[in-house]
Amino acid sequence: MIRRSAFALALALATCPLWAMTYTLEPNHSMGTVRWGHLDFAYPTAQFTRVEGTLEFDPAEPTKASVMVTIPLAYLSSGIPDLDEDLRSPAFFDLARFPHATFKSTRVETTGMANQLKVTGNLTVRGVTRPVTLDVTINKIGENPRLKLPAVGFEAMARLKRSDFGLGKFVPQVSDEVTLHVTTQADEAKGYAAYLKKDAEEEAAAKEK
């Protein structure tokens, strides 16, 4: 079974163009959710709608990949104003002192299943750094048809204890364990930078008219 899964991964990669390069995470197509339990009656979520970072990735050698991610926590929202105010306060994320969460990978492993990886790295939240392992699914490797650039997409999931990061208020009424889910699209870095520059220049020129 493991051999068949490994062969399926190799075949999937072999049928795609191979780009060993640096990618930029698209902020407009990279986001995530955090889910927790409330008194075991409900499982609310909050969404962070911006994820920034860079990815080094070669589909032929996925274990050599590395990723650095920054999450601006000002973009974290539950849709409930009072809860959002609490989340931004010193009792939780303390945005005035710690406006960003970051993740830097330290190891990437294959799992024997096609398009599945385990990515371990250091997650820093509220000034506290802990090792975290993400279960990653490669959604697609190919060309972004809109930008005509090499692109790759991933889903990443993990279970974390918020108390490990100094966010343990209201445990156990509010669950200590939370589920993290991130989806991201990344484009070849130099081409994406050129696209952003051109887009900004065209926007500035339009305003001058």
Side-chain angles (χ1 to χ4, degrees):
M1 180 66 181
I2 291 177
R3 287 183 178 178
R4 288 200 298 269
S5 297
F7 175 75
L9 175 60
L11 181 62
L13 296 176
T15 58
C16 296
L18 299 182
W19 293 298
M21 60 179 62
T22 301
Y23 296 80
T24 296
L25 275 59
E26 273 201 43
N28 291 339
H29 298 100
S30 300
M31 57 195 68
T33 58
V34 180
R35 184 171 183 261
W36 62 92
H38 183 262
L39 299 173
D40 293 329
F41 290 114
Y43 293 87
T45 62
Q47 184 178 30
F48 45 95
T49 56
R50 192 172 182 90
V51 178
E52 304 167 351
T54 58
L55 168 70
E56 302 286 341
F57 183 67
D58 181 349
E61 297 183 284
T63 60
K64 293 184 178 180
S66 66
V67 62
M68 294 182 64
V69 173
T70 297
I71 300 172
L73 294 174
Y75 291 88
L76 178 68
S77 174
S78 67
I80 302 171
D82 288 347
L83 177 55
D84 290 345
E85 185 176 341
D86 283 343
L87 291 175
R88 294 183 173 94
S89 75
F92 285 97
F93 288 101
D94 196 358
L95 261 63
R97 297 175 59 205
F98 307 104
H100 301 96
T102 62
F103 176 82
K104 183 177 181 180
S105 66
T106 56
R107 184 172 71 254
V108 177
E109 302 169 279
T110 56
T111 66
M113 297 179 65
N115 300 327
Q116 303 291 317
L117 303 171
K118 285 193 175 293
V119 179
T120 300
N122 293 318
L123 176 65
T124 300
V125 179
R126 209 175 185 272
V128 178
T129 302
R130 295 283 187 268
V132 168
T133 297
L134 305 172
D135 294 313
V136 174
T137 299
I138 303 173
N139 293 330
K140 184 178 180 179
I141 302 167
E143 182 184 75
N144 180 335
R146 300 183 67 184
L147 304 184
K148 305 301 181 184
L149 294 173
V152 60
F154 296 90
E155 304 289 313
M157 298 189 69
R159 293 183 182 274
L160 314 173
K161 284 191 174 182
R162 58 190 180 92
S163 60
D164 288 345
F165 298 91
L167 299 168
K169 192 173 183 180
F170 301 129
V171 172
Q173 289 87 359
V174 178
S175 65
D176 192 10
E177 185 176 84
V178 300
T179 301
L180 174 69
H181 177 203
V182 179
T183 186
T184 183
Q185 176 180 322
D187 298 308
E188 186 274 318
K190 290 184 179 179
Y192 186 62
Y195 159 76
L196 292 178
K197 181 180 178 182
K198 181 180 178 182
D199 191 54
E201 290 172 347
E202 290 176 350
E203 184 176 345
K207 289 181 179 179
E208 292 176 356
K209 293 181 179 180

